[in-house]
Amino acid sequence: MTKLEQLYEGKAKKVFKTDDENLYIVDYKDDATAFNGEKKGTIAGKGVINNIMSNHMFQLLEKQGVPTHFVEQLSERETVVKKVSIVPLEVIIRNISAGSFAKRYGVNEGIVFDQPTIEFSYKNDDLGDPLINDYHAMALKLATAEEIETIKKMAFKVNEVMKAYFDTLNVTLVDFKLEFGKTDDGTIILADEISPDTCRLWDKDTGEKLDKDRFRRDLGNVEEAYQEILRRLTGK
Ligand code: ADP
Ligand code: UDP
């Protein structure tokens, strides 16, 4: 596997071509942003932790029948993934009210829902990732009705697997964001990352936040929270 030219540098990762036209290499950075890039910083060691955690979660999900882009971890920060065309939707599942949900609907954080919710944002930095519904996504030709159905089913399945798994680690899975992609033959698979950058994770006993909200809200001990999640996942 040879790493070829960089295709893209995002806020948290770089994406490289490889000598296999169906595979990319993602390289996780320590850079952190919040509020559509208004707040910037670095979280020392985050790239390494997010790489290991994402790969850990993707392998767990594969075992439970969810197809993902994961192929092989190359180094601390680099992973080989299947090349996909990303469906430009941020798919957010929530089990408990927090963040933009609490703000938008004027409710406290921490309300446990009777059933999980799903919402979509249009992945478009210039527009600030606006909230959209299925019909808007279809009107904008971001995905077909069938693809949206597949994505919803997969997202709820991911939630069931992750919720049960985090429970065994004494962690409450509050909410998270997923991205899906299409392979050349049109199959929808789970892509991007699953990490403390993209999930809200609360300690089950104390409610302590073990995720990017520590950075967003200047709560301190940001690095320690990421390390604590990794420790619970891998014992390291
Ligand atoms: P952002 O683009 O939001 O700043 P990142 O810094 O995480 O995000 O950049 C990674 C980019 O790679 C994202 O745009 C993501 O959608 C894309 N991506 C993730 N997995 C794959 C994949 N398997 N194939 C192609 N692109 C991917
Ligand atoms: N999220 C994400 N990327 C985004 C927006 C949200 O990974 O661009 C994750 C976020 O970490 C949280 C969940 O999606 O776990 C729900 O986020 P919310 O809509 O509450 O937004 P925020 O609080 O980030 O404004």
Side-chain angles (χ1 to χ4, degrees):
M1 173 69 44
T2 313
K3 193 172 179 180
L4 300 179
E5 79 260 27
Q6 182 176 306
L7 278 174
Y8 177 79
E9 174 159 8
K11 298 185 286 289
K13 299 189 285 305
K14 297 176 189 171
V15 182
F16 294 85
K17 275 194 175 176
T18 71
D19 53 359
D20 182 331
E21 63 167 1
N22 295 310
L23 301 177
Y24 284 164
I25 291 171
V26 290
D27 187 338
Y28 286 74
K29 310 192 289 182
D30 286 350
D31 298 351
T33 61
F35 315 117
N36 286 316
E38 265 171 54
K39 182 180 169 84
K40 288 192 176 75
T42 53
I43 301 172
K46 172 173 85 80
V48 173
I49 291 173
N50 286 5
N51 186 33
I52 297 171
M53 173 165 168
S54 288
N55 295 341
H56 187 89
M57 299 311 298
F58 287 139
Q59 287 173 91
L60 172 79
L61 288 161
E62 288 274 359
K63 275 192 206 132
Q64 300 294 325
V66 178
T68 79
H69 74 166
F70 175 76
V71 176
E72 177 196 7
Q73 185 167 322
L74 279 187
S75 70
E76 274 193 326
R77 290 175 187 272
E78 296 166 304
T79 292
V80 183
V81 298
K82 291 175 195 151
K83 175 188 93 176
V84 293
S85 138
I86 292 286
V87 177
L89 292 173
E90 299 202 332
V91 180
I92 293 171
I93 297 275
R94 301 177 190 272
N95 296 303
I96 297 178
S97 65
S100 71
F101 181 98
K103 195 169 174 213
R104 181 178 313 116
Y105 302 121
V107 297
N108 287 333
E109 294 199 315
I111 301 164
V112 181
F113 303 146
D114 291 341
Q115 52 185 53
T117 68
I118 190 164
E119 73 207 38
F120 300 115
S121 294
Y122 176 23
K123 205 174 136 62
N124 183 319
D125 281 338
D126 293 339
L127 300 177
D129 298 340
L131 188 69
I132 62 171
N133 69 27
D134 306 25
Y135 291 91
H136 298 151
M138 288 187 273
L140 293 168
K141 298 209 184 318
L142 308 182
T144 65
E146 197 188 353
E147 286 164 355
I148 291 172
E149 272 321 297
T150 303
I151 286 171
K152 281 185 182 169
K153 280 208 187 90
M154 284 173 69
F156 283 121
K157 168 84 189 239
V158 169
N159 186 44
E160 289 314 311
V161 172
M162 284 192 12
K163 214 167 54 169
Y165 179 64
F166 277 112
D167 194 60
T168 67
L169 307 177
N170 215 38
V171 171
T172 304
L173 177 63
V174 175
D175 59 30
F176 57 93
K177 182 267 300 179
L178 301 174
E179 290 183 28
F180 293 86
K182 261 194 295 184
T183 59
D184 280 349
D185 70 2
T187 310
I188 299 273
I189 64 175
L190 184 62
D192 203 47
E193 69 177 276
I194 299 178
S195 71
D197 276 7
T198 65
C199 302
R200 284 196 169 90
L201 303 167
W202 295 352
D203 180 86
K204 218 160 91 182
D205 297 326
T206 65
E208 191 191 356
K209 295 183 188 353
L210 299 171
D211 57 55
K212 196 170 147 187
D213 272 347
R214 301 206 74 83
F215 168 78
R216 291 189 190 98
R217 302 177 187 188
D218 296 318
L219 300 176
N221 295 325
V222 184
E223 282 86 1
E224 290 79 359
Y226 280 69
Q227 285 160 11
E228 175 60 17
I229 284 297
L230 184 69
R231 193 190 63 74
R232 293 196 198 184
L233 284 163
T234 66
K236 281 179 222 153

